[in-house]
């Protein structure tokens, strides 16, 4: 067995436990239907739609993941942006409607957040939910993350693994001054861009420009333009036979991820992370990042120059660096075994299930997607069998493969998956 063989098997066992099952998918779809009923009962929200976003839409959620919902208030066919006070008023109406139903607990209205939000937990299945108003930009960001996984399936596995690891080390809580899940996903994208050979391109090669700024005018037209631009460029990247293929194992990718960011607290004083350009960038040389007021800068590639790590405090940045360093030392130690590895990567509710697994399954990655050998194994949990809707961008553009990132026109791409907006 290779140096990473034992770690690779352990990681796959962890992923098996934390991957959402068909029931986990069904529970969230049911909650979305419940919220549609709630919204329809609110007079001020008649005609509004309930649209999920975040890790659920990106297919990057674990079985314990929460659900993000945007209530889209229509403005005819145009993209609208209600003012803060209007959003607060609408969420207050939703809060009253949720309370009247008696099915929800831990109701919390965070009216003064940058984006006003209503949080609650469903009493029947303990799923946490965050509701915002007209958060179309976050919906589109989630879809692009979903499409990025079409380039290399290891991206999804890494996101699930890193989120579990970050929660284990208590560094995945923006309210406490550490990293939110979106910033963690961008760190993984950046790692995939900067490993050798690169797995993902700079995101400007998928969508050149500021995606959020382009969400104006007629909604269907704006969304279609973004979707088709991404489709053309992703097809170009996938069909580029000259691109060198990175086929290292998930465990090697994870260990190198830990090594890359072990000195993040030192580098952050002078450099920012730009998944848009796929490079570390000097903060003093980037006028859009000045003045430096953050402990860590992880640029939002779809809304430059927004900082997705703006809530990270100096103290928490040191803890984040320590988590990278400690885990890397453990995983590269000659005396490692499963008993020392699993608690370092997973929370107790996960590793108790992992440690109880009698048989592990071998497998390998083919073009970034895990291929598992068919073995009859007994597991404490069933693997997910629900198939998430996938982008329908399997056809090459009719005018040939583009040689560089393009802004798509209507003839350049196949139709991509779009979230249904039922009333």
């Amino acid at each position: 067995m290779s140096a990473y063989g034992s770690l690779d098997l352990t990681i796959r066992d962890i992923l098996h436990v934390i991957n959402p099952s068909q029931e986990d998918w069904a529970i969230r779809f049911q909650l979305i239907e419940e919220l549609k009923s709630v919204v329809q009962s609110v007079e001020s929200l008649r005609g509004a739609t309930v649209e999920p976003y975040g890790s659920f839409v990106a297919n990057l959620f674990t079985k314990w993941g929460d659900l993000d919902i945007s209530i889209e208030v229509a403005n005819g066919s145009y993209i609208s942006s209600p003012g803060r006070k209007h959003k607060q008023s609408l969420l207050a109406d939703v809060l009253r409607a949720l309370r009247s139903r008696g099915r929800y607990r831990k109701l919390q209205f965070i009216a003064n957040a940058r984006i006003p939000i209503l949080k609650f937990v469903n009493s029947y299945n303990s799923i946490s939910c965050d509701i915002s108003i007209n958060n179309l930009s976050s919906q589109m960001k989630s879809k692009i993350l979903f499409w990025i996984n079409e380039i290399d399936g290891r991206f999804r596995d890494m996101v699930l693994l890193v989120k579990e690891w970050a929660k284990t080390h208590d560094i995945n809580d923006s309210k406490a001054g550490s990293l939110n899940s979106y910033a963690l996903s961008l760190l993984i994208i950046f790692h995939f861009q900067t490993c050798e050979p690169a797995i993902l391109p700079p995101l400007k090669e998928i969508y050149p420009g500021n995606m959020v700024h382009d969400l104006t005018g007629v909604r269907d037209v704006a969304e279609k333009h973004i979707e088709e631009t991404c489709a053309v460029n992703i097809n170009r990247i996938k069909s580029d036979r000259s691109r060198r293929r990175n086929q290292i194992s998930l465990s090697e990718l994870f260990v190198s991820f830990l090594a890359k960011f072990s000195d993040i607290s030192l580098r952050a004083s002078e450099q920012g992370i730009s998944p848009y350009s796929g490079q570390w960038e000097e903060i003093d040389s980037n006028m859009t990042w000045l003045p430096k007021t953050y402990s860590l800068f992880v640029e939002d590639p779809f809304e430059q120059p927004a900082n997705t790590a703006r809530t990270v405090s100096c103290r928490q940045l040191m803890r984040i660096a320590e988590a990278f360093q400690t885990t890397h030392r453990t995983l590269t130690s000659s005396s490692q075994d499963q008993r020392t590895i699993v608690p370092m990567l997973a929370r107790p509710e996960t590793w108790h299930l992992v440690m109880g697994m009698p048989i592990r399954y071998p497998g390998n990655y083919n073009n970034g997607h895990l291929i598992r050998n068919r073995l009859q194994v007994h597991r404490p949990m069933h693997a997910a069998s629900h198939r998430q809707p996938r982008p329908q961008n399997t056809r090459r553009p009719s005018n040939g493969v583009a040689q560089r990132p393009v802004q798509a026109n209507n003839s350049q791409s196949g139709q991509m998956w779009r979230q249904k907006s039922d009333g």
Side-chain angles (χ1 to χ4, degrees):
M1 184 175 291
S2 68
Y4 290 102
S6 176
L7 176 59
D8 216 39
L9 291 172
T10 301
I11 285 174
R12 292 177 193 173
D13 280 346
I14 291 172
L15 288 173
H16 184 86
V17 169
I18 66 179
N19 256 297
S21 65
Q22 184 174 3
E23 181 181 6
D24 297 320
W25 281 97
I27 286 171
R28 286 161 179 79
F29 280 120
Q30 181 181 356
L31 180 53
I32 292 170
E33 292 302 314
E34 289 179 14
L35 292 175
K36 288 181 180 180
S37 176
V38 171
V39 167
Q40 288 169 358
S41 72
V42 177
E43 182 64 31
S44 61
L45 289 170
R46 291 293 171 87
T49 56
V50 173
E51 304 181 20
Y53 67 95
S55 61
F56 179 71
V57 168
N59 193 20
L60 298 175
F61 74 103
T62 68
K63 70 183 293 87
W64 297 289
D66 60 6
L67 181 64
D68 297 302
I69 294 292
S70 174
I71 298 175
E72 293 293 321
V73 181
N75 179 28
S77 60
Y78 287 84
I79 296 171
S80 64
S81 181
R84 171 179 289 273
K85 288 187 177 180
H86 190 198
K87 290 181 178 181
Q88 292 170 340
S89 174
L90 294 175
L91 288 175
D93 292 342
V94 176
L95 176 60
R96 285 189 287 271
L98 291 173
R99 281 176 173 162
S100 69
R101 302 243 171 166
R103 301 177 183 176
Y104 312 102
R105 55 189 172 85
K106 294 186 178 180
L107 288 151
Q108 183 182 12
F109 183 20
I110 308 175
N112 295 320
R114 190 176 70 96
I115 298 176
I117 197 166
L118 176 60
K119 305 172 74 72
F120 68 88
V121 176
N122 187 298
S123 297
Y124 294 131
N125 48 44
S126 297
I127 298 297
S128 298
C129 185
D130 293 351
I131 300 178
S132 55
I133 302 292
N134 281 39
N135 205 343
L136 180 59
S137 62
S138 292
Q139 290 187 55
M140 292 307 299
K141 292 175 187 179
S142 305
K143 290 181 183 181
I144 295 176
L145 291 182
F146 175 79
W147 299 329
I148 286 172
N149 193 55
E150 291 296 296
I151 299 174
D152 195 293
R154 286 171 293 184
F155 173 62
R156 179 179 184 272
D157 286 343
M158 272 287 286
V159 171
L160 266 59
L161 176 63
V162 168
K163 285 167 70 171
E164 178 67 21
W165 165 78
K167 290 182 185 299
T168 301
H169 293 267
D170 199 23
I171 58 170
N172 182 204
D173 184 358
S174 60
K175 295 187 295 295
S178 58
L179 294 162
N180 59 46
S181 294
Y182 182 46
L184 283 171
S185 297
L186 293 180
L187 288 182
I188 295 164
I189 288 175
F190 187 77
H191 177 49
F192 278 33
Q193 293 169 331
T194 53
C195 58
E196 181 59 34
I199 298 172
L200 294 176
L203 294 192
K204 64 183 179 182
E205 295 188 14
I206 292 177
Y207 192 82
N210 191 311
M211 185 274 290
V212 171
H213 288 176
D214 293 339
L215 283 172
T216 60
V218 177
R219 176 175 176 176
D220 284 349
V221 173
E223 287 190 7
K224 185 177 182 181
H225 169 74
I226 293 168
E227 291 171 357
E228 292 184 342
T229 296
C230 292
V232 170
N233 291 321
I234 288 174
N235 280 336
R236 173 185 55 79
I237 292 163
K238 290 171 63 177
S239 61
D240 182 4
R241 295 188 177 182
S242 66
R243 186 165 64 101
R244 293 171 60 200
R245 305 293 175 178
N246 182 317
Q247 296 183 324
I248 65 175
S249 69
L250 188 63
S251 58
E252 290 174 281
L253 277 173
F254 182 64
V255 170
S256 59
F257 171 77
L258 297 171
K260 181 169 295 178
F261 294 112
S262 287
D263 64 349
I264 193 169
S265 60
L266 297 175
R267 297 193 73 163
S269 62
E270 297 181 352
Q271 295 180 309
I273 294 167
S274 175
Y276 183 74
S277 67
Q279 297 177 343
W280 291 92
E281 293 194 4
E282 299 295 327
I283 295 175
D284 290 342
S285 300
N286 191 327
M287 296 304 295
T288 62
W289 291 359
L290 294 174
K292 184 182 184 303
T293 57
Y294 302 108
S295 300
L296 175 65
F297 207 107
V298 181
E299 186 178 53
D300 189 330
F302 313 117
E303 192 178 1
Q304 320 98 33
N307 180 14
T308 64
R310 59 186 169 273
T311 62
V312 174
S313 66
C314 290
R315 177 175 173 273
Q316 288 295 325
L317 181 58
M318 298 300 293
R319 291 188 66 251
I320 291 168
E322 183 181 356
F324 277 103
Q325 294 162 8
T326 302
T327 309
H328 185 261
R329 280 197 303 269
T330 300
L331 298 188
T332 55
S333 168
S334 59
S335 59
Q336 61 162 291
D337 58 33
Q338 190 182 51
R339 287 175 296 179
T340 59
I341 293 175
V342 176
M344 184 65 66
L345 302 183
R347 293 169 290 175
E349 58 264 43
T350 302
W351 62 258
H352 281 309
L353 292 170
V354 171
M355 298 298 282
M357 289 181 167
I359 302 176
R360 302 182 189 89
Y361 46 88
N364 56 73
Y365 280 91
N366 180 17
N367 198 27
H369 295 269
L370 180 62
I371 307 300
R372 294 188 177 95
N373 295 342
R374 295 183 178 179
L375 294 180
Q376 295 297 321
V377 298
H378 299 285
R379 300 224 173 242
M381 311 187 77
H382 295 291
S385 59
H386 180 88
R387 292 182 63 85
Q388 168 75 346
R390 299 171 67 86
Q392 301 301 310
N393 59 335
T394 56
R395 292 176 294 166
R396 292 172 62 175
S398 58
N399 59 344
V401 177
Q403 297 304 308
R404 57 183 177 273
V406 300
Q407 293 285 347
N409 59 44
N410 290 347
S411 65
Q412 286 180 306
S413 71
Q415 183 182 4
M416 300 188 76
W417 173 64
R418 296 167 67 101
Q419 190 76 27
K420 290 186 178 179
S421 302
D422 298 330

